PDB file of all heavy atoms in Angstrom:
ATOM      1  N   LEU A 164      38.553 159.679 102.456  1.00 96.00           N
ATOM      2  CA  LEU A 164      37.461 160.372 101.758  1.00 96.00           C
ATOM      3  C   LEU A 164      37.580 161.890 101.892  1.00 96.00           C
ATOM      4  O   LEU A 164      36.617 162.621 101.672  1.00 96.00           O
ATOM      5  CB  LEU A 164      36.108 159.877 102.281  1.00 96.00           C
ATOM      6  CG  LEU A 164      35.781 158.430 101.866  1.00 96.00           C
ATOM      7  CD1 LEU A 164      34.648 157.863 102.716  1.00 96.00           C
ATOM      8  CD2 LEU A 164      35.406 158.357 100.376  1.00 96.00           C
ATOM      9  N   PHE A 166      38.015 163.886 104.456  1.00 91.00           N
ATOM     10  CA  PHE A 166      37.558 164.610 105.642  1.00 91.00           C
ATOM     11  C   PHE A 166      38.824 165.060 106.375  1.00 91.00           C
ATOM     12  O   PHE A 166      39.594 164.198 106.816  1.00 91.00           O
ATOM     13  CB  PHE A 166      36.780 163.695 106.596  1.00 91.00           C
ATOM     14  CG  PHE A 166      35.390 163.314 106.148  1.00 91.00           C
ATOM     15  CD1 PHE A 166      35.200 162.305 105.211  1.00 91.00           C
ATOM     16  CD2 PHE A 166      34.280 163.935 106.698  1.00 91.00           C
ATOM     17  CE1 PHE A 166      33.924 161.928 104.826  1.00 91.00           C
ATOM     18  CE2 PHE A 166      32.994 163.562 106.314  1.00 91.00           C
ATOM     19  CZ  PHE A 166      32.815 162.550 105.372  1.00 91.00           C
ATOM     20  N   MET A 176      28.197 163.651 111.345  1.00 78.00           N
ATOM     21  CA  MET A 176      27.664 162.336 111.017  1.00 78.00           C
ATOM     22  C   MET A 176      27.227 161.530 112.235  1.00 78.00           C
ATOM     23  O   MET A 176      26.821 160.385 112.085  1.00 78.00           O
ATOM     24  CB  MET A 176      28.685 161.550 110.208  1.00 78.00           C
ATOM     25  CG  MET A 176      28.683 162.000 108.755  1.00 78.00           C
ATOM     26  SD  MET A 176      29.602 160.864 107.730  1.00 78.00           S
ATOM     27  CE  MET A 176      28.823 161.086 106.149  1.00 78.00           C
ATOM     28  N   THR A 196      29.603 155.187 108.961  1.00 95.00           N
ATOM     29  CA  THR A 196      28.494 156.145 108.944  1.00 95.00           C
ATOM     30  C   THR A 196      27.871 156.239 107.556  1.00 95.00           C
ATOM     31  O   THR A 196      26.842 156.873 107.381  1.00 95.00           O
ATOM     32  CB  THR A 196      28.993 157.539 109.343  1.00 95.00           C
ATOM     33  OG1 THR A 196      30.076 157.900 108.467  1.00 95.00           O
ATOM     34  CG2 THR A 196      29.489 157.554 110.780  1.00 95.00           C
ATOM     35  N   HIS A 197      28.530 155.642 106.585  1.00 96.00           N
ATOM     36  CA  HIS A 197      28.010 155.621 105.204  1.00 96.00           C
ATOM     37  C   HIS A 197      28.658 154.467 104.459  1.00 96.00           C
ATOM     38  O   HIS A 197      29.564 153.805 104.997  1.00 96.00           O
ATOM     39  CB  HIS A 197      28.246 156.967 104.489  1.00 96.00           C
ATOM     40  CG  HIS A 197      29.658 157.497 104.573  1.00 96.00           C
ATOM     41  ND1 HIS A 197      30.051 158.664 103.981  1.00 96.00           N
ATOM     42  CD2 HIS A 197      30.785 157.013 105.186  1.00 96.00           C
ATOM     43  CE1 HIS A 197      31.345 158.882 104.209  1.00 96.00           C
ATOM     44  NE2 HIS A 197      31.790 157.902 104.940  1.00 96.00           N
ATOM     45  N   THR A 198      28.192 154.198 103.243  1.00 98.00           N
ATOM     46  CA  THR A 198      28.789 153.103 102.463  1.00 98.00           C
ATOM     47  C   THR A 198      29.979 153.590 101.640  1.00 98.00           C
ATOM     48  O   THR A 198      30.622 152.802 100.952  1.00 98.00           O
ATOM     49  CB  THR A 198      27.737 152.454 101.527  1.00 98.00           C
ATOM     50  OG1 THR A 198      26.938 153.486 100.945  1.00 98.00           O
ATOM     51  CG2 THR A 198      26.845 151.498 102.293  1.00 98.00           C
ATOM     52  N   SER A 199      30.309 154.894 101.731  1.00 98.00           N
ATOM     53  CA  SER A 199      31.433 155.416 100.941  1.00 98.00           C
ATOM     54  C   SER A 199      32.784 154.734 101.210  1.00 98.00           C
ATOM     55  O   SER A 199      33.610 154.676 100.294  1.00 98.00           O
ATOM     56  CB  SER A 199      31.542 156.928 101.144  1.00 98.00           C
ATOM     57  OG  SER A 199      30.318 157.556 100.834  1.00 98.00           O
ATOM     58  N   PRO A 200      33.060 154.209 102.422  1.00 98.00           N
ATOM     59  CA  PRO A 200      34.344 153.502 102.577  1.00 98.00           C
ATOM     60  C   PRO A 200      34.519 152.328 101.611  1.00 98.00           C
ATOM     61  O   PRO A 200      35.659 151.950 101.317  1.00 98.00           O
ATOM     62  CB  PRO A 200      34.328 153.015 104.033  1.00 98.00           C
ATOM     63  CG  PRO A 200      32.984 153.305 104.583  1.00 98.00           C
ATOM     64  CD  PRO A 200      32.392 154.366 103.733  1.00 98.00           C
ATOM     65  N   GLN A 202      33.902 152.496  98.496  1.00 98.00           N
ATOM     66  CA  GLN A 202      34.593 153.150  97.367  1.00 98.00           C
ATOM     67  C   GLN A 202      36.098 153.030  97.549  1.00 98.00           C
ATOM     68  O   GLN A 202      36.832 152.656  96.642  1.00 98.00           O
ATOM     69  CB  GLN A 202      34.348 154.664  97.368  1.00 98.00           C
ATOM     70  CG  GLN A 202      33.068 155.168  96.837  1.00 98.00           C
ATOM     71  CD  GLN A 202      33.123 156.702  96.753  1.00 98.00           C
ATOM     72  OE1 GLN A 202      34.179 157.278  96.505  1.00 98.00           O
ATOM     73  NE2 GLN A 202      31.988 157.340  96.959  1.00 98.00           N
ATOM     74  N   THR A 221      24.476 150.921 107.512  1.00 97.00           N
ATOM     75  CA  THR A 221      25.240 152.072 107.983  1.00 97.00           C
ATOM     76  C   THR A 221      24.664 152.494 109.332  1.00 97.00           C
ATOM     77  O   THR A 221      23.534 152.109 109.670  1.00 97.00           O
ATOM     78  CB  THR A 221      25.126 153.224 106.977  1.00 97.00           C
ATOM     79  OG1 THR A 221      23.749 153.390 106.635  1.00 97.00           O
ATOM     80  CG2 THR A 221      25.903 152.943 105.707  1.00 97.00           C
ATOM     81  N   ARG A 223      24.320 155.601 112.509  1.00 94.00           N
ATOM     82  CA  ARG A 223      24.534 156.931 113.090  1.00 94.00           C
ATOM     83  C   ARG A 223      23.707 157.045 114.360  1.00 94.00           C
ATOM     84  O   ARG A 223      22.608 156.484 114.441  1.00 94.00           O
ATOM     85  CB  ARG A 223      24.125 158.040 112.118  1.00 94.00           C
ATOM     86  CG  ARG A 223      25.048 158.098 110.907  1.00 94.00           C
ATOM     87  CD  ARG A 223      24.666 159.216 109.966  1.00 94.00           C
ATOM     88  NE  ARG A 223      25.227 158.930 108.642  1.00 94.00           N
ATOM     89  CZ  ARG A 223      25.031 159.681 107.585  1.00 94.00           C
ATOM     90  NH1 ARG A 223      24.291 160.778 107.668  1.00 94.00           N
ATOM     91  NH2 ARG A 223      25.568 159.359 106.431  1.00 94.00           N
ATOM     92  N   PHE A 234      20.670 151.983 109.460  1.00 96.00           N
ATOM     93  CA  PHE A 234      19.876 152.133 108.245  1.00 96.00           C
ATOM     94  C   PHE A 234      20.712 151.603 107.081  1.00 96.00           C
ATOM     95  O   PHE A 234      21.781 151.042 107.300  1.00 96.00           O
ATOM     96  CB  PHE A 234      19.454 153.598 108.041  1.00 96.00           C
ATOM     97  CG  PHE A 234      20.604 154.581 107.973  1.00 96.00           C
ATOM     98  CD1 PHE A 234      20.990 155.133 106.755  1.00 96.00           C
ATOM     99  CD2 PHE A 234      21.306 154.950 109.114  1.00 96.00           C
ATOM    100  CE1 PHE A 234      22.051 156.024 106.679  1.00 96.00           C
ATOM    101  CE2 PHE A 234      22.376 155.852 109.042  1.00 96.00           C
ATOM    102  CZ  PHE A 234      22.745 156.383 107.825  1.00 96.00           C
ATOM    103  N   GLN A 236      22.276 152.049 103.013  1.00 98.00           N
ATOM    104  CA  GLN A 236      22.587 152.921 101.885  1.00 98.00           C
ATOM    105  C   GLN A 236      23.033 152.066 100.712  1.00 98.00           C
ATOM    106  O   GLN A 236      23.391 150.903 100.878  1.00 98.00           O
ATOM    107  CB  GLN A 236      23.761 153.861 102.214  1.00 98.00           C
ATOM    108  CG  GLN A 236      23.424 154.982 103.176  1.00 98.00           C
ATOM    109  CD  GLN A 236      24.574 155.986 103.275  1.00 98.00           C
ATOM    110  OE1 GLN A 236      25.720 155.667 102.948  1.00 98.00           O
ATOM    111  NE2 GLN A 236      24.264 157.181 103.732  1.00 98.00           N
ATOM    112  N   VAL A 237      23.021 152.677  99.536  1.00 98.00           N
ATOM    113  CA  VAL A 237      23.735 152.066  98.421  1.00 98.00           C
ATOM    114  C   VAL A 237      24.638 153.145  97.834  1.00 98.00           C
ATOM    115  O   VAL A 237      24.238 154.287  97.640  1.00 98.00           O
ATOM    116  CB  VAL A 237      22.790 151.464  97.353  1.00 98.00           C
ATOM    117  CG1 VAL A 237      21.869 152.508  96.756  1.00 98.00           C
ATOM    118  CG2 VAL A 237      23.593 150.783  96.261  1.00 98.00           C
ATOM    119  N   GLU A 238      25.874 152.741  97.644  1.00 98.00           N
ATOM    120  CA  GLU A 238      26.902 153.627  97.105  1.00 98.00           C
ATOM    121  C   GLU A 238      27.118 153.243  95.652  1.00 98.00           C
ATOM    122  O   GLU A 238      27.029 152.068  95.312  1.00 98.00           O
ATOM    123  CB  GLU A 238      28.190 153.353  97.897  1.00 98.00           C
ATOM    124  CG  GLU A 238      29.285 154.332  97.672  1.00 98.00           C
ATOM    125  CD  GLU A 238      29.051 155.594  98.485  1.00 98.00           C
ATOM    126  OE1 GLU A 238      28.164 155.602  99.367  1.00 98.00           O
ATOM    127  OE2 GLU A 238      29.758 156.576  98.220  1.00 98.00           O
ATOM    128  N   GLY A 239      27.406 154.230  94.805  1.00 98.00           N
ATOM    129  CA  GLY A 239      27.779 153.905  93.435  1.00 98.00           C
ATOM    130  C   GLY A 239      29.138 154.518  93.131  1.00 98.00           C
ATOM    131  O   GLY A 239      29.466 155.595  93.650  1.00 98.00           O
ATOM    132  N   LEU A 240      29.931 153.851  92.327  1.00 98.00           N
ATOM    133  CA  LEU A 240      31.236 154.404  91.947  1.00 98.00           C
ATOM    134  C   LEU A 240      31.587 153.952  90.540  1.00 98.00           C
ATOM    135  O   LEU A 240      31.539 152.761  90.233  1.00 98.00           O
ATOM    136  CB  LEU A 240      32.319 153.916  92.928  1.00 98.00           C
ATOM    137  CG  LEU A 240      33.750 154.361  92.594  1.00 98.00           C
ATOM    138  CD1 LEU A 240      33.929 155.861  92.843  1.00 98.00           C
ATOM    139  CD2 LEU A 240      34.777 153.570  93.416  1.00 98.00           C
ATOM    140  N   TYR A 276      27.683 170.180  99.026  1.00 95.00           N
ATOM    141  CA  TYR A 276      29.069 169.949  99.445  1.00 95.00           C
ATOM    142  C   TYR A 276      29.234 168.580 100.094  1.00 95.00           C
ATOM    143  O   TYR A 276      28.476 168.205 100.992  1.00 95.00           O
ATOM    144  CB  TYR A 276      29.518 171.016 100.455  1.00 95.00           C
ATOM    145  CG  TYR A 276      30.879 170.677 101.014  1.00 95.00           C
ATOM    146  CD1 TYR A 276      32.033 170.926 100.264  1.00 95.00           C
ATOM    147  CD2 TYR A 276      31.024 170.036 102.248  1.00 95.00           C
ATOM    148  CE1 TYR A 276      33.282 170.553 100.731  1.00 95.00           C
ATOM    149  CE2 TYR A 276      32.277 169.667 102.724  1.00 95.00           C
ATOM    150  CZ  TYR A 276      33.398 169.926 101.953  1.00 95.00           C
ATOM    151  OH  TYR A 276      34.630 169.552 102.408  1.00 95.00           O
ATOM    152  N   PHE A 277      30.180 167.801  99.599  1.00 94.00           N
ATOM    153  CA  PHE A 277      30.684 166.615 100.295  1.00 94.00           C
ATOM    154  C   PHE A 277      32.198 166.690 100.183  1.00 94.00           C
ATOM    155  O   PHE A 277      32.712 167.108  99.137  1.00 94.00           O
ATOM    156  CB  PHE A 277      30.192 165.314  99.645  1.00 94.00           C
ATOM    157  CG  PHE A 277      28.689 165.179  99.612  1.00 94.00           C
ATOM    158  CD1 PHE A 277      27.981 165.424  98.441  1.00 94.00           C
ATOM    159  CD2 PHE A 277      27.973 164.830 100.755  1.00 94.00           C
ATOM    160  CE1 PHE A 277      26.599 165.319  98.404  1.00 94.00           C
ATOM    161  CE2 PHE A 277      26.593 164.720 100.722  1.00 94.00           C
ATOM    162  CZ  PHE A 277      25.897 164.964  99.557  1.00 94.00           C
ATOM    163  N   PHE A 279      34.263 164.434  99.698  1.00 97.00           N
ATOM    164  CA  PHE A 279      34.855 163.440  98.789  1.00 97.00           C
ATOM    165  C   PHE A 279      34.475 163.637  97.337  1.00 97.00           C
ATOM    166  O   PHE A 279      34.862 162.837  96.479  1.00 97.00           O
ATOM    167  CB  PHE A 279      34.490 162.022  99.252  1.00 97.00           C
ATOM    168  CG  PHE A 279      33.104 161.921  99.845  1.00 97.00           C
ATOM    169  CD1 PHE A 279      32.012 161.644  99.060  1.00 97.00           C
ATOM    170  CD2 PHE A 279      32.925 162.121 101.212  1.00 97.00           C
ATOM    171  CE1 PHE A 279      30.738 161.555  99.610  1.00 97.00           C
ATOM    172  CE2 PHE A 279      31.651 162.039 101.774  1.00 97.00           C
ATOM    173  CZ  PHE A 279      30.558 161.766 100.984  1.00 97.00           C
ATOM    174  N   THR A 280      33.663 164.664  97.010  1.00 98.00           N
ATOM    175  CA  THR A 280      33.337 164.927  95.600  1.00 98.00           C
ATOM    176  C   THR A 280      33.498 166.407  95.292  1.00 98.00           C
ATOM    177  O   THR A 280      33.316 167.271  96.151  1.00 98.00           O
ATOM    178  CB  THR A 280      31.881 164.515  95.283  1.00 98.00           C
ATOM    179  OG1 THR A 280      31.042 164.910  96.361  1.00 98.00           O
ATOM    180  CG2 THR A 280      31.753 163.030  95.065  1.00 98.00           C
ATOM    181  N   PRO A 282      32.794 168.716  91.511  1.00 98.00           N
ATOM    182  CA  PRO A 282      31.674 169.332  92.227  1.00 98.00           C
ATOM    183  C   PRO A 282      30.766 168.277  92.856  1.00 98.00           C
ATOM    184  O   PRO A 282      30.802 167.114  92.469  1.00 98.00           O
ATOM    185  CB  PRO A 282      30.936 170.086  91.125  1.00 98.00           C
ATOM    186  CG  PRO A 282      31.258 169.335  89.877  1.00 98.00           C
ATOM    187  CD  PRO A 282      32.645 168.808  90.056  1.00 98.00           C
ATOM    188  N   SER A 283      29.950 168.733  93.804  1.00 98.00           N
ATOM    189  CA  SER A 283      28.992 167.848  94.472  1.00 98.00           C
ATOM    190  C   SER A 283      27.584 168.341  94.199  1.00 98.00           C
ATOM    191  O   SER A 283      27.374 169.544  93.957  1.00 98.00           O
ATOM    192  CB  SER A 283      29.206 167.862  95.987  1.00 98.00           C
ATOM    193  OG  SER A 283      30.526 167.526  96.316  1.00 98.00           O
ATOM    194  N   ALA A 284      26.643 167.421  94.254  1.00 98.00           N
ATOM    195  CA  ALA A 284      25.243 167.819  94.056  1.00 98.00           C
ATOM    196  C   ALA A 284      24.338 166.938  94.904  1.00 98.00           C
ATOM    197  O   ALA A 284      24.685 165.800  95.237  1.00 98.00           O
ATOM    198  CB  ALA A 284      24.853 167.675  92.586  1.00 98.00           C
ATOM    199  N   LEU A 309      19.158 161.822  96.950  1.00 97.00           N
ATOM    200  CA  LEU A 309      20.527 161.280  97.053  1.00 97.00           C
ATOM    201  C   LEU A 309      21.576 162.377  96.921  1.00 97.00           C
ATOM    202  O   LEU A 309      21.274 163.514  96.546  1.00 97.00           O
ATOM    203  CB  LEU A 309      20.760 160.213  95.972  1.00 97.00           C
ATOM    204  CG  LEU A 309      20.669 160.585  94.496  1.00 97.00           C
ATOM    205  CD1 LEU A 309      22.017 161.065  93.944  1.00 97.00           C
ATOM    206  CD2 LEU A 309      20.209 159.397  93.690  1.00 97.00           C
ATOM    207  N   GLY A 310      22.820 162.016  97.256  1.00 98.00           N
ATOM    208  CA  GLY A 310      23.969 162.893  97.081  1.00 98.00           C
ATOM    209  C   GLY A 310      24.917 162.282  96.066  1.00 98.00           C
ATOM    210  O   GLY A 310      25.003 161.069  95.943  1.00 98.00           O
ATOM    211  N   CYS A 311      25.626 163.150  95.324  1.00 98.00           N
ATOM    212  CA  CYS A 311      26.513 162.614  94.292  1.00 98.00           C
ATOM    213  C   CYS A 311      27.561 163.645  93.901  1.00 98.00           C
ATOM    214  O   CYS A 311      27.557 164.767  94.404  1.00 98.00           O
ATOM    215  CB  CYS A 311      25.707 162.223  93.056  1.00 98.00           C
ATOM    216  SG  CYS A 311      24.888 163.615  92.277  1.00 98.00           S
ATOM    217  N   GLY A 312      28.434 163.286  93.002  1.00 98.00           N
ATOM    218  CA  GLY A 312      29.425 164.237  92.508  1.00 98.00           C
ATOM    219  C   GLY A 312      30.546 163.530  91.777  1.00 98.00           C
ATOM    220  O   GLY A 312      30.529 162.320  91.599  1.00 98.00           O
ATOM    221  N   MET A 313      31.528 164.357  91.337  1.00 98.00           N
ATOM    222  CA  MET A 313      32.723 163.786  90.700  1.00 98.00           C
ATOM    223  C   MET A 313      33.746 163.518  91.797  1.00 98.00           C
ATOM    224  O   MET A 313      34.013 164.389  92.636  1.00 98.00           O
ATOM    225  CB  MET A 313      33.299 164.783  89.684  1.00 98.00           C
ATOM    226  CG  MET A 313      32.335 165.164  88.561  1.00 98.00           C
ATOM    227  SD  MET A 313      31.682 163.740  87.635  1.00 98.00           S
ATOM    228  CE  MET A 313      33.144 163.213  86.725  1.00 98.00           C
ATOM    229  N   VAL A 314      34.312 162.328  91.789  1.00 98.00           N
ATOM    230  CA  VAL A 314      35.234 161.923  92.850  1.00 98.00           C
ATOM    231  C   VAL A 314      36.371 162.945  92.973  1.00 98.00           C
ATOM    232  O   VAL A 314      37.002 163.326  91.974  1.00 98.00           O
ATOM    233  CB  VAL A 314      35.801 160.516  92.576  1.00 98.00           C
ATOM    234  CG1 VAL A 314      36.800 160.112  93.668  1.00 98.00           C
ATOM    235  CG2 VAL A 314      34.670 159.494  92.492  1.00 98.00           C
ATOM    236  N   PHE A 332      32.623 159.305  88.815  1.00 98.00           N
ATOM    237  CA  PHE A 332      31.562 159.847  89.656  1.00 98.00           C
ATOM    238  C   PHE A 332      31.183 158.877  90.753  1.00 98.00           C
ATOM    239  O   PHE A 332      31.523 157.691  90.687  1.00 98.00           O
ATOM    240  CB  PHE A 332      30.326 160.238  88.830  1.00 98.00           C
ATOM    241  CG  PHE A 332      29.610 159.103  88.138  1.00 98.00           C
ATOM    242  CD1 PHE A 332      28.764 158.251  88.859  1.00 98.00           C
ATOM    243  CD2 PHE A 332      29.739 158.914  86.763  1.00 98.00           C
ATOM    244  CE1 PHE A 332      28.075 157.227  88.219  1.00 98.00           C
ATOM    245  CE2 PHE A 332      29.043 157.879  86.116  1.00 98.00           C
ATOM    246  CZ  PHE A 332      28.219 157.040  86.849  1.00 98.00           C
ATOM    247  N   ALA A 333      30.516 159.410  91.765  1.00 98.00           N
ATOM    248  CA  ALA A 333      30.051 158.588  92.877  1.00 98.00           C
ATOM    249  C   ALA A 333      28.696 159.107  93.316  1.00 98.00           C
ATOM    250  O   ALA A 333      28.342 160.259  93.063  1.00 98.00           O
ATOM    251  CB  ALA A 333      31.037 158.650  94.035  1.00 98.00           C
ATOM    252  N   PHE A 334      27.930 158.232  93.945  1.00 98.00           N
ATOM    253  CA  PHE A 334      26.670 158.685  94.535  1.00 98.00           C
ATOM    254  C   PHE A 334      26.342 157.819  95.743  1.00 98.00           C
ATOM    255  O   PHE A 334      26.880 156.724  95.893  1.00 98.00           O
ATOM    256  CB  PHE A 334      25.518 158.640  93.522  1.00 98.00           C
ATOM    257  CG  PHE A 334      25.278 157.285  92.908  1.00 98.00           C
ATOM    258  CD1 PHE A 334      24.479 156.349  93.540  1.00 98.00           C
ATOM    259  CD2 PHE A 334      25.875 156.957  91.694  1.00 98.00           C
ATOM    260  CE1 PHE A 334      24.266 155.102  92.971  1.00 98.00           C
ATOM    261  CE2 PHE A 334      25.668 155.697  91.118  1.00 98.00           C
ATOM    262  CZ  PHE A 334      24.860 154.767  91.761  1.00 98.00           C
ATOM    263  N   GLY A 335      25.508 158.353  96.609  1.00 98.00           N
ATOM    264  CA  GLY A 335      25.093 157.610  97.791  1.00 98.00           C
ATOM    265  C   GLY A 335      23.625 157.881  98.062  1.00 98.00           C
ATOM    266  O   GLY A 335      23.160 159.023  97.960  1.00 98.00           O
ATOM    267  N   MET A 336      22.895 156.806  98.381  1.00 97.00           N
ATOM    268  CA  MET A 336      21.441 156.919  98.470  1.00 97.00           C
ATOM    269  C   MET A 336      20.942 156.119  99.660  1.00 97.00           C
ATOM    270  O   MET A 336      21.494 155.053  99.953  1.00 97.00           O
ATOM    271  CB  MET A 336      20.910 156.302  97.164  1.00 97.00           C
ATOM    272  CG  MET A 336      19.503 156.488  96.860  1.00 97.00           C
ATOM    273  SD  MET A 336      19.190 156.263  95.069  1.00 97.00           S
ATOM    274  CE  MET A 336      20.212 154.937  94.538  1.00 97.00           C
TER     275      MET A 336
HETATM  276  N1  DAH B 410      28.144 159.388 101.921  1.00 77.73           N
HETATM  277  C1  DAH B 410      27.111 160.402 101.800  1.00 77.73           C
HETATM  278  C2  DAH B 410      26.217 160.376 103.012  1.00 77.73           C
HETATM  279  O1  DAH B 410      26.156 159.396 103.682  1.00 77.73           O
HETATM  280  C3  DAH B 410      26.295 160.174 100.557  1.00 77.73           C
HETATM  281  C4  DAH B 410      27.083 160.438  99.335  1.00 77.73           C
HETATM  282  C5  DAH B 410      27.101 161.701  98.768  1.00 77.73           C
HETATM  283  C6  DAH B 410      27.838 159.449  98.753  1.00 77.73           C
HETATM  284  C7  DAH B 410      27.813 161.956  97.628  1.00 77.73           C
HETATM  285  C8  DAH B 410      28.581 159.700  97.604  1.00 77.73           C
HETATM  286  C9  DAH B 410      28.551 160.974  97.055  1.00 77.73           C
HETATM  287  O2  DAH B 410      29.302 158.767  97.004  1.00 77.73           O
HETATM  288  O3  DAH B 410      29.269 161.215  95.942  1.00 77.73           O
HETATM  289  O4  DAH B 410      25.552 161.333 103.282  1.00 77.73           O
END
Side-chain angles (χ1 to χ4, degrees):
L164 290 164
F166 286 80
M176 281 192 153
T196 55
H197 50 179
T198 41
S199 305
Q202 281 188 33
T221 48
R223 292 181 201 177
F234 57 105
Q236 287 189 339
V237 60
E238 191 80 11
L240 177 71
Y276 173 78
F277 301 102
F279 35 90
T280 41
S283 304
L309 61 89
C311 63
M313 300 305 289
V314 178
F332 65 78
F334 57 85
M336 191 159 39

